[in-house]
Amino acid sequence: IDGKAIAAAIRREVKQHSEALIASHKVTPGLAVVLVGARTDSATYVKMKKKAAAEVGFHSIDKTFEESVTEEALLQCVQELNSDPSVHGILVQLPLPKHIDEAKVLESIRVEKDADGFSSENVGNMCLRGGKPPLAVPCTPAGCIVCLSARARSRRRSWAATKV
């Protein structure tokens, strides 16, 4: 499975959709990423998200806080992002410091802007059979499914070629 090639193909497709949205509606997709603390792994992951967002033509907003930020200040930040019409998706990088209620912060993200797909509405819709589809699905499991599906298609093609 060539995950890098699959990811590059997905980014090309997203970029095409982004360019079409900009051309037809004069709207640039906006992604806000909220990072709390100085964890190297989280900072690296956020850097990768920013790079991918830039590659596909998204407007990117970073909100970075010290580890000591209050829960109230973090909730206020999320509410401001919820109200910002240039922000279409919000990612809060986990884990959050122990003094902050992660569930409370994640629940404060409007479901329409829940880029990680963690809201109870998105998770519930994902679990229903025949119900409404979720607005977003968690990225890592979705990426695994895409890679496995690509591998399965590749194996079917090679199997079919041997039967000709």
Side-chain angles (χ1 to χ4, degrees):
I1 298 174
D2 188 348
K4 287 186 179 186
I6 293 168
I10 291 170
R11 283 193 301 273
R12 283 192 301 273
E13 183 179 341
V14 170
K15 184 175 183 169
Q16 290 172 348
H17 288 289
S18 177
E19 289 169 346
L21 184 64
I22 293 166
S24 65
H25 297 289
K26 307 292 185 251
V27 173
T28 301
L31 178 67
V33 180
V34 180
L35 176 63
V36 178
R39 288 179 52 123
T40 305
D41 56 341
S42 291
T44 299
Y45 196 62
V46 166
K47 183 179 172 183
M48 290 170 32
K49 290 175 186 177
K50 284 181 50 83
K51 181 180 175 189
E55 187 178 331
V56 298
F58 285 17
H59 166 65
S60 180
I61 297 173
D62 299 330
K63 298 290 184 176
T64 305
F65 296 92
E66 298 291 326
E67 178 105 8
S68 60
V69 67
T70 65
E71 184 175 287
E72 294 75 27
L74 198 53
L75 289 168
Q76 178 62 37
C77 172
V78 171
Q79 291 312 319
E80 290 170 6
L81 294 170
N82 279 333
S83 299
D84 185 340
S86 73
V87 173
H88 304 99
I90 301 171
L91 297 168
V92 175
Q93 181 63 42
L94 301 178
L96 293 174
K98 300 225 181 289
H99 68 279
I100 295 177
D101 183 346
E102 280 185 1
K104 188 174 183 180
V105 172
L106 294 176
E107 288 170 0
S108 71
I109 299 171
R110 284 184 28 204
V111 68
E112 305 86 27
K113 294 189 178 195
D114 174 24
D116 276 322
F118 290 161
S119 73
S120 57
E121 184 176 338
N122 274 325
V123 171
N125 285 340
M126 186 171 47
C127 294
L128 291 175
R129 291 186 178 182
K132 293 191 309 186
L135 296 174
V137 294
C139 297
T140 301
C144 291
I145 290 170
V146 167
C147 287
L148 291 172
S149 296
R151 176 69 177 140
R153 283 191 303 276
S154 172
R155 295 191 99 194
R156 281 193 299 276
R157 282 192 301 270
S158 65
W159 180 83
T162 63
K163 299 298 178 189
V164 175

